[in-house]
Amino acid sequence: MLQKKLTTPFISEKLSLSSRVVMAPMNRRRAVKGIPSPSMITYYQQRSGAGLLISDNIAVSSNGGAYMNTPGIYNQEQKQAWKKVVAGVHAKGGKIFAQLVQSGRVGHPAIQNNEPLIAPSALQVNETIRTPDNSYKNMTLPVAISTEEIPVWVNVFKEAATSAIEAGFDGVEIHAAHGFLIDQFINPLSNIRTDEYGGSIENRTRFLFEVMKAVIAAIGKYKVGIRLSPFREIYDLKTYPEELATHEYILDELQKLDILYVHFSNAINDGEPSIPASFLENARQRFKNIIMIAGGFTVETAEELLQTGLVDLIAFGKLYISNPDLVERIKNDLPLADWDEETFYYGEDKGYIDYPKISFQDCSKS
């Protein structure tokens, strides 16, 4: 049995992991009132054999979680509940980062504490979303953040990062992808501002870098990662002519900040990745620290990409839903269990903490 690079340790001066297999951030939507449930302790503990766990999307404010039952870290009850989750992971020898998000114009006031959506510009997402009465409603028109208010939102991210470290997380990942607030500033299709936060690449990325610098100042650069989704079309956001140049600029500036890692979110469309190998080659030249990628990988395609040296870590989402012992299965060439999409986002413990681990004995019987 040949040892896969996936299951070998990742050792660097800034981060050491037991393997290169990461559990991708997924919003499983099991946190009523934004409070992590006792089942979430079990869920993360079951998967603590990953080299690194990245949490559910964690809302940094009461109007920051796009979906029902998104966990938050903006009050003490949530923070104390996260402490129990993190302690559970650490008790099993795992490491976990908190992914911090403000969803911006994605969501609905009925989900978000009856507060208005916010965004860089008053541009509505032309999609529906499930609300507490189990109906699907149109996302509402967001309120454009004024120039004077921007420091307030920068501070919200800083406070959330501080709370995450105080709750015991090993670091934080700033969610600047998937059409959420920071990505809305980056993309000119959702940012039509005329102040210093709109227009040029430097202006559209200004909010991102103000957030990053504030978080770094609060918790230290080697506890900070970022998620980016170049060329990902989502929530009315399409690709745009300056997209490559924008992300080249972002990577150059992130290198200057010397943060721990960049985490790219890929998607497979008609069999093709949204992030081509040529972009990863470019990224590797521009950003010298850890590069991670998630989205659409099998064990085989993940191993192939790792062998190229273009990325250091591969994050798996769906495979980690149904295979809590994914690293052991990969290491020992054991079969992978199928997931149940019906329970991805709804339900209680079914499809959440009831996927069993496998044993060699189970394999011999199959």
Side-chain angles (χ1 to χ4, degrees):
M1 188 188 306
L2 293 175
Q3 186 177 34
K4 300 177 179 69
K5 191 172 183 180
L6 268 171
T7 56
T8 60
F10 175 79
I11 307 295
S12 76
E13 293 180 6
K14 306 171 184 70
L15 182 69
S16 295
L17 305 175
S18 60
S19 77
R20 296 166 185 264
V21 177
V22 176
M23 187 176 92
M26 296 174 282
N27 193 340
R28 301 299 307 279
R29 306 177 198 172
R30 259 69 173 192
V32 177
K33 295 183 179 178
I35 303 166
S37 66
S39 292
M40 289 175 69
I41 302 172
T42 302
Y43 172 77
Y44 284 105
Q45 273 194 317
Q46 289 173 336
R47 290 155 180 81
S48 57
L52 175 66
L53 298 169
I54 305 177
S55 76
D56 287 57
N57 313 153
I58 303 178
V60 299
S61 64
S62 55
N63 67 339
Y67 303 100
M68 289 168 51
N69 301 325
T70 294
I73 198 162
Y74 49 85
N75 64 40
Q76 282 300 311
E77 192 172 3
Q78 294 164 347
K79 182 176 171 181
Q80 293 305 314
W82 276 120
K83 279 187 178 181
K84 296 176 183 177
V85 172
V86 174
V89 170
H90 288 164
K92 294 288 187 178
K95 293 183 178 180
I96 183 169
F97 272 46
Q99 190 194 66
L100 304 179
V101 68
Q102 217 299 340
S103 57
R105 66 181 192 155
V106 179
H108 192 280
I111 301 167
Q112 297 165 316
N113 202 37
N114 293 314
E115 297 175 33
L117 307 183
I118 58 165
S121 303
L123 298 172
Q124 188 172 351
V125 178
N126 186 30
E127 291 189 25
T128 61
I129 194 163
R130 182 172 173 256
T131 58
D133 64 3
N134 281 325
S135 67
Y136 282 80
K137 293 184 172 66
N138 292 324
M139 295 189 195
T140 56
L141 184 70
V143 174
I145 303 171
S146 70
T147 307
E148 295 72 25
E149 289 175 312
I150 284 184
V152 172
W153 289 104
V154 170
N155 191 62
V156 165
F157 275 95
K158 174 186 173 182
E159 292 298 320
T162 301
S163 291
I165 298 303
E166 290 173 352
F169 280 100
D170 298 290
V172 305
E173 176 176 295
I174 301 301
H175 201 338
H178 294 182
F180 295 136
L181 182 64
I182 296 176
D183 200 19
Q184 291 160 27
F185 271 93
I186 295 169
N187 195 309
L189 300 178
S190 50
N191 180 351
I192 57 172
R193 299 175 73 97
T194 57
D195 64 359
E196 62 266 38
Y197 294 90
S200 68
I201 291 174
E202 292 81 359
N203 284 357
R204 286 186 283 106
T205 58
R206 191 181 306 277
F207 179 66
L208 161 64
F209 288 113
E210 288 181 358
V211 168
M212 297 302 290
K213 289 172 183 177
V215 170
I216 288 168
I219 68 172
K221 61 186 179 181
Y222 295 145
K223 291 185 178 181
V224 182
I226 188 172
R227 196 172 212 206
L228 299 168
S229 54
F231 319 116
R232 186 81 179 264
E233 298 192 339
I234 189 169
Y235 298 127
D236 287 349
L237 296 186
K238 307 295 183 184
T239 55
Y240 53 95
E242 282 188 310
E243 190 152 5
L244 176 58
T246 298
H247 279 86
E248 288 177 338
Y249 175 79
I250 289 171
L251 289 168
D252 289 345
E253 294 301 307
L254 290 174
Q255 177 59 40
K256 293 175 187 176
L257 294 178
D258 194 29
I259 63 167
L260 181 65
Y261 71 75
V262 170
H263 178 187
F264 292 120
S265 177
N266 177 64
I268 304 297
N269 301 309
D270 297 324
E272 294 296 322
S274 58
I275 299 177
S278 59
F279 178 84
L280 293 177
E281 291 168 2
N282 190 355
R284 181 57 96 184
Q285 292 300 313
R286 293 175 181 277
F287 186 77
K288 305 303 183 183
N289 292 348
I290 299 165
I291 295 179
M292 183 191 321
I293 192 168
F297 288 96
T298 64
V299 172
E300 292 72 25
T301 59
E303 182 66 24
E304 288 172 7
L305 182 56
L306 272 182
Q307 292 291 346
T308 68
L310 295 179
V311 303
D312 303 293
L313 308 171
I314 306 279
F316 296 91
K318 292 176 182 177
L319 281 178
Y320 250 121
I321 289 176
S322 53
N323 297 276
D325 52 347
L326 183 61
V327 174
E328 289 304 310
R329 294 191 191 222
I330 295 172
K331 187 179 294 184
N332 296 296
D333 289 322
L334 299 177
L336 301 179
D338 294 327
W339 55 78
D340 176 11
E341 292 194 23
E342 293 297 316
T343 59
F344 277 5
Y345 309 118
Y346 314 116
E348 296 179 356
D349 290 347
K350 179 176 170 53
Y352 189 58
I353 59 173
D354 58 350
Y355 286 105
K357 295 186 177 183
I358 199 170
S359 68
F360 286 103
Q361 186 176 5
D362 294 333
C363 258
S364 64
K365 292 177 181 177
S366 60

